[in-house]
Amino acid sequence: MAAGSGRLVEKIAKTIKNVVENKGSSWWYTPHMAAASRAIAERIPLVDIVVEVRDARIPFSSTFEELGFSNSSKHIIVLNKTDLANRSQTKRWTGYLENQSHVCCEVNSHNKDSIKGFLNLLQSEVRELKRNGQFSHTTTVMLVGIPNSGKSALANSLHQIGRISAEEKGRLKHAAVSPNPGETKEISSLKIASHPNIFVLDTPGVLPPDIVDDDVCSKLALTGAIADCLVGELKLAQYFLTILSTSNEYKRWVKLPSMKKKILPGDQQRNCSAVSETKTGRKKQVPDHTQDSVVNDVRQTLFETISSFSEDLEDEANFVKLYGLQLTGLHKALQVVPGIGEDSDCIVGKKLLNLFRTGRLGHYTLDQLPSNV
């Protein structure tokens, strides 16, 4: 990472941390988190296996610090959302955690083969408990982790793919899944296997009462573990664009057709009129920002803006200038008219964050392995 970007990332991270702190701890460590933390602590000694679900993009920053494990519980670390992270970095993090004597598994909650592999691991651990004399007919697995780490999606996928009858699946409820942190409010139970019976407990996401590290706080915010309203989408978008500009991800878009070649005379005017009112008073439809054509326009805009920027990125001020050029280009690519209606920069920020968080703008592992690895 260039020195200028490193300083800017540190400054943005500190700003994010300060904003969160000024909001007050109750904004991120909510009363329901405090209650959930107590409920989890009470149940941990009673369950057979504790599965700590981390975000593969931030394997260190998403550590669940409220565990206080009982010796009676087996501990498994799951690096979830592997489809959004850098594959080679995920492999290295898995190896690192296994070298720290952890049982670790990479999981994509939306991939059947991945879920089947994880379910096989769980059943292997259950057989190990049986060999050690710690076995009953019913085994309980508790999923714990920070908000938005994908616990509920993992629980549902295990329930759908698990070896239980169709009749049981129809009678058993599902866990609520949301892209927003803090949607799971209580501990719920889902059956995921029979012979022997295995139940999984889906728990609310819990953050530590105090987040003391600027870097950790900013990564939690960028990946959606902390509500966007705490920081603001525009600040998070700038943070992401700074990371993107010093990565190799944008270079993968070099073969996309040039925006200059694609835009025909009059196209810009037509795009800018997309949200303007027609003579009949009805608003024209703006294309969904997740459409492939729009996503490709965003990718190409970012590629051309970064690759054509010739000023020294060792200078922090130049990164700020680059960000301004990117924001201007993104208005056009996302067909957001500057200065109309809701603050247009914030609209661009929201859409950009959504594309990052759904993997449409590349795969990122934000946490670096310890230097001695």
Side-chain angles (χ1 to χ4, degrees):
M1 181 178 287
S5 70
R7 288 191 296 271
L8 183 58
V9 165
E10 290 176 6
K11 184 177 292 186
I12 294 173
K14 189 173 291 294
T15 300
I16 291 172
K17 172 70 181 320
N18 289 339
V19 169
V20 172
E21 281 187 331
N22 290 336
K23 290 286 187 179
S25 63
S26 62
W27 278 76
W28 73 82
Y29 190 70
T30 60
H32 93 263
M33 279 191 195
S37 182
R38 291 191 295 270
I40 291 170
E42 291 171 358
R43 285 169 173 77
I44 281 179
L46 307 177
V47 302
D48 301 291
I49 300 173
V50 176
V51 175
E52 180 189 357
V53 183
R54 299 188 190 181
D55 188 325
R57 296 170 295 179
I58 47 173
F60 170 74
S61 299
S62 59
T63 302
F64 187 72
E65 298 182 1
E66 301 298 299
L67 281 175
F69 279 115
S70 164
N71 291 333
S72 62
S73 301
K74 180 77 176 181
H75 179 202
I76 299 174
I77 296 175
V78 163
L79 297 184
N80 195 22
K81 303 188 178 185
T82 54
D83 53 316
L84 304 179
N86 179 285
R87 184 176 300 178
S88 63
Q89 287 295 313
T90 300
K91 293 293 183 186
R92 293 184 65 196
W93 268 103
T94 301
Y96 168 75
L97 292 169
E98 288 176 343
N99 288 337
Q100 301 294 311
S101 300
H102 294 295
V103 177
C104 185
C105 184
E106 303 167 20
V107 173
N108 173 1
S109 296
H110 305 290
N111 181 282
K112 288 185 178 180
D113 289 337
S114 179
I115 294 299
K116 287 178 181 177
F118 178 53
L119 185 58
N120 288 337
L121 171 63
L122 282 178
Q123 292 179 318
S124 174
E125 294 296 331
V126 170
R127 288 192 293 270
E128 182 68 23
L129 291 175
K130 181 178 181 180
R131 283 193 292 270
N132 293 335
Q134 298 173 280
F135 179 77
S136 62
H137 183 65
T138 297
T139 301
T140 306
V141 177
M142 177 182 278
L143 304 182
V144 299
I146 65 168
N148 210 29
S149 59
K151 297 183 298 299
S152 296
L154 178 59
N156 284 335
S157 294
L158 287 168
H159 170 65
Q160 286 297 326
I161 295 175
R163 297 177 177 86
I164 55 180
S165 69
E167 181 183 357
E168 285 180 296
K169 288 180 181 178
R171 288 191 286 107
L172 296 172
K173 64 181 180 179
H174 291 186
V177 178
S178 170
N180 302 314
E183 291 298 313
T184 302
K185 301 294 185 183
E186 59 184 23
I187 297 176
S188 58
S189 175
L190 294 172
K191 189 173 184 179
I192 63 172
S194 298
H195 311 297
N197 292 328
I198 303 177
F199 286 83
V200 63
L201 302 181
D202 179 32
T203 66
V206 177
L207 292 169
D210 298 297
I211 302 175
V212 297
D213 187 278
D214 298 347
D215 190 48
V216 168
C217 184
S218 60
K219 290 172 183 176
L220 291 173
L222 183 58
T223 53
I226 297 174
D228 291 343
C229 63
L230 276 176
V231 179
E233 290 87 354
L234 198 56
K235 181 60 67 177
L236 292 174
Q238 183 183 15
Y239 181 41
F240 165 66
L241 287 173
T242 304
I243 293 171
L244 171 68
S245 300
T246 54
S247 73
N248 290 319
E249 287 298 312
Y250 77 91
K251 298 176 183 178
R252 302 175 188 270
W253 306 328
V254 64
K255 294 184 179 180
L256 292 174
S258 171
M259 290 288 290
K260 294 178 181 178
K261 295 178 181 179
K262 289 175 63 179
I263 296 178
L264 301 174
D267 278 0
Q268 182 176 350
Q269 183 178 354
R270 285 194 292 274
N271 286 345
C272 288
S273 67
V275 293
S276 63
E277 293 188 1
T278 66
K279 291 181 180 179
T280 62
R282 291 182 297 180
K283 291 184 178 180
K284 292 183 178 180
Q285 185 66 38
V286 178
D288 184 347
H289 69 282
T290 62
Q291 289 181 4
D292 289 345
S293 59
V294 177
V295 174
N296 283 339
D297 284 351
V298 170
R299 292 170 178 168
Q300 189 58 38
T301 295
L302 292 173
F303 172 79
E304 292 187 356
T305 306
I306 299 169
S307 59
S308 64
F309 192 77
S310 58
E311 300 191 44
D312 184 10
L313 291 181
E314 294 295 319
D315 185 344
E316 178 187 333
N318 288 333
F319 261 97
V320 177
K321 186 183 297 184
L322 174 59
Y323 167 67
L325 295 173
Q326 291 170 325
L327 196 59
T328 299
L330 287 169
H331 274 84
K332 183 185 298 182
L334 290 166
Q335 302 187 28
V336 177
V337 182
I340 291 183
E342 184 183 349
D343 186 270
S344 60
D345 288 353
C346 287
I347 294 174
V348 169
K350 289 178 182 179
K351 292 184 176 183
L352 189 72
L353 280 177
N354 174 262
L355 294 179
F356 157 68
R357 289 171 178 169
T358 54
R360 305 299 298 278
L361 296 179
H363 303 85
Y364 303 84
T365 299
L366 305 178
D367 282 340
Q368 301 299 313
L369 283 160
S371 57
N372 59 347
V373 176

